[in-house]
Amino acid sequence: MATPVRTSVTEETIERIKAMIVGGEFVPGERLPTERELAERLGVSRSSLREAIRALTLVGVLEARQGAGTYVTSLAPHLLLDAVSMLVELAPGATVLELLAVRRVLESAAAAQAAAHIGPAELEELAGCLAAMRRDPQRGDGDLDEVIRADLRFHEVMARASGNAVLAAFCAALGSRTLRARVHRGRGEEGVFARSLAEHQAIYEALRDRDPGRAAAVTASHIASVEAFVRNASGNAASGS
């Protein structure tokens, strides 16, 4: 006979508050009752309630405002996926390739959707990112951090142009995990900036031409090149070279 799963009072309180939000009892932007009132309403101690509120604050569901109480956040996808970003950042190095594989699938889908929805302002922003990425640190005419920021921004704008906020948030969460890989790649692989620029230029042109199939293909190819670098780097480290 299976042993019943035991949950703590704090976990139960978290679930009850979440249920109240899902059920519309508390809506986005609304202030929660005072700690005393809510604890009495839920029939829990104030210490258990505090722990539950702290946990829900960490994952972007609640927001504590100094001197003003606790509020339900906007529940926007990027807020709720901040916790995913943290988990992704803390994932063991051995999972980097798995994360890149997921990112390749999601960003390809985002690129295809962006090709159908992107507007002039977003194309202009992508062009600005490309201009920043033309400065090559390996030639001594650019700053590595600036180029990486432009790279990150390019992908953020493209994902946002998909029109799917959840997809864009997932892409951003996975993109943050590969930042270290980009930095290492930029410092250690000859000619990487020129190749990366060409790959991003191909993505831009596919989006500009409103070609979903080509946008998905060149985006997948770009991320696959990062995967190849990480795979080779991992193999060299394992062999001691």
Side-chain angles (χ1 to χ4, degrees):
M1 184 175 178
T3 303
V5 177
R6 299 181 62 185
T7 58
S8 70
V9 174
T10 298
E11 289 170 333
E12 291 177 357
T13 305
I14 290 170
E15 292 304 316
R16 290 178 66 185
I17 294 173
K18 284 164 55 180
M20 294 165 91
I21 294 171
V22 171
E25 199 166 341
F26 300 132
V27 300
E30 183 176 350
R31 183 182 183 277
L32 296 186
T34 65
E35 183 182 283
R36 180 181 59 79
E37 292 170 336
L38 189 55
E40 290 178 356
R41 187 166 167 182
L42 295 173
V44 298
S45 69
R46 293 173 71 170
S47 62
S48 293
L49 178 62
R50 287 190 203 106
E51 289 296 325
I53 289 175
R54 188 175 297 114
L56 290 170
T57 299
L58 287 173
V59 296
V61 174
L62 299 178
E63 175 190 7
R65 300 180 187 174
Q66 187 68 34
T70 302
Y71 290 75
V72 180
T73 68
S74 65
L75 302 180
H78 73 276
L79 289 175
L80 300 181
L81 286 172
D82 276 348
V84 175
S85 297
M86 181 176 66
L87 292 174
V88 168
E89 286 289 342
L90 295 174
T95 66
V96 172
L97 283 170
E98 294 175 328
L99 293 166
L100 281 168
V102 173
R103 179 179 166 228
R104 173 161 40 87
V105 172
L106 293 181
E107 281 208 29
S108 297
Q113 292 185 33
H117 298 103
I118 198 163
E122 290 158 326
L123 284 170
E124 184 178 352
E125 194 167 359
L126 291 178
C129 293
L130 289 174
M133 293 170 69
R134 287 192 180 93
R135 304 187 67 179
D136 191 335
Q138 289 182 336
R139 294 197 309 260
D141 64 353
D143 177 73
L144 177 63
D145 291 335
E146 181 182 342
V147 172
I148 290 173
R149 282 194 297 272
D151 184 337
L152 285 169
R153 184 61 184 161
F154 184 98
H155 288 273
E156 288 171 2
V157 173
M158 180 187 71
R160 187 185 71 212
S162 71
N164 186 321
V166 175
L167 178 57
F170 269 113
C171 289
L174 290 168
S176 66
R177 177 61 179 93
T178 60
L179 179 57
R180 294 194 200 99
R182 288 197 191 103
V183 173
H184 182 48
R185 187 177 185 228
R187 287 174 175 161
E189 189 179 345
E190 185 65 30
V192 67
F193 293 102
R195 287 194 297 276
S196 179
L197 175 62
E199 291 166 2
H200 285 86
Q201 182 70 39
I203 296 170
Y204 170 81
E205 291 173 0
L207 295 173
R208 180 199 61 197
D209 296 343
R210 300 191 176 281
D211 188 331
R214 180 155 56 99
V218 293
T219 299
S221 177
H222 166 57
I223 299 173
S225 72
V226 181
E227 289 180 77
F229 169 77
V230 173
R231 187 178 293 108
N232 292 337
S234 298
N236 290 338
S239 64
S241 58

